[in-house]
Amino acid sequence: MTDIAHGIVTLDTGYYRPAFDAAYLVVERGRAAFVDTGTTHSVPRLLAGLAAAGLEPADVDWVVLTHVHLDHAGGAGALMQALPQARLAVHPRGARHMIDPARLVAGAIEVYGAAAVERDYGRILPVPAERVVEATEGTVLELAGRPLRCLDTPGHARHHLCLFDEAGATVFTGDTFGVSYREFDGPNGAWALPSSTPIQFDAAEMCRSIERLAALPVTSIRPTHYGAVGNVPAVAALLVEQVEAMAALARELRTAPDRAARLRAGLGALYADRALAHGVPLDRAGVLALLANDIELNAQGLDVWLDQSQAVR
């Protein structure tokens, strides 16, 4: 449990490495909501965080998913089994995958293999349909009188929601507002990079969503990767510039015979240059090592995006 402020607790889900994947617990007058869940393996950590906050499973009213990628939503079914009063709020495009996760699991197995999916995510359990709320643009989830407003924010995925918490002067941004690891924090503040992971990245939509979130009356954003980030307008500017640079790089490599490899190399150079220029407390090798997984996934996302019509507009 870290970053306890405004009734918000950051919980490390334990996925991949420490301080990589967060779930958030929002507490208001003895009632609680989780935002994102990590994987099925994360559920004991989340319940322990709930207990440490002095709450019982029956005190949780909402589990809110920013989107249904498994590092954000893989544990939703198992967590809901432990929370007798909670309802699950999710984008309408993602609801069916929580009710019947078979296609979600099959897609992950196709990419990673069955053994890796079991190892990394655990068993993905369904959520009963009657406990699922399809949260659309403007849906307000009430938490003991504290409004949590859902915002439709495509760019990373078409089924992506962000959750605006006016009382906490923050917005839970999933992956729409990029990723920002605390290892990068330096004298110039947080540094962040966009997340273009496959398969629904849209550069124009992502820029619009980032700019929309930056215009909210907030003092921080809370991405899933990882923890609270301040100086929101400056971070938004960093992200938009990088989205545009990533799109330009991808278009330049559209017909390259070794496109995937050149995308990885180009993204590595782009991120390392900008991180070092920002003054992160790592050398170039350290930046590239920390971002190895992000570079691979972002390159895959751009590779898919290049084959979609919007990439050539």
Side-chain angles (χ1 to χ4, degrees), residues 201-204 243-256 259 263 302-303 305-306 308-313:
F201 170 69
D202 184 308
V243 173
E244 292 171 348
M246 289 163 59
L249 171 69
R251 292 188 182 104
E252 180 182 326
L253 297 176
R254 182 178 179 85
T255 60
R259 188 169 82 183
L263 280 170
L302 288 175
D303 200 36
W305 179 68
L306 281 170
Q308 299 172 345
S309 60
Q310 69 264 31
V312 297
R313 291 177 187 167

Side-chain angles (χ1 to χ4, degrees), residues 197-217:
T197 53
I199 58 176
Q200 295 178 350
F201 170 69
D202 184 308
E205 292 279 16
M206 180 172 282
C207 288
R208 281 192 287 269
S209 291
I210 290 167
E211 290 168 344
R212 180 188 185 192
L213 295 174
L216 293 172

Side-chain angles (χ1 to χ4, degrees), residues 239-294:
L239 289 170
V240 168
E241 187 277 330
Q242 287 179 86
V243 173
E244 292 171 348
M246 289 163 59
L249 171 69
R251 292 188 182 104
E252 180 182 326
L253 297 176
R254 182 178 179 85
T255 60
D258 52 349
R259 188 169 82 183
R262 291 184 65 183
L263 280 170
R264 288 193 295 272
L267 290 178
L270 188 157
Y271 300 145
D273 288 348
R274 280 153 176 82
L276 294 173
H278 189 72
V280 304
L282 298 172
D283 61 14
R284 193 175 192 88
V287 171
L288 292 173
L290 192 64
L291 293 181
N293 188 59
D294 295 285

Side-chain angles (χ1 to χ4, degrees), residues 19 26 80 85 104 126-127 167 171 193 209 243-244 248 286 293 302:
V26 184
M80 289 292 288
Q85 303 301 322
L104 201 63
V127 179
V171 57
L193 70 152
S209 291
V243 173
E244 292 171 348
N293 188 59
L302 288 175

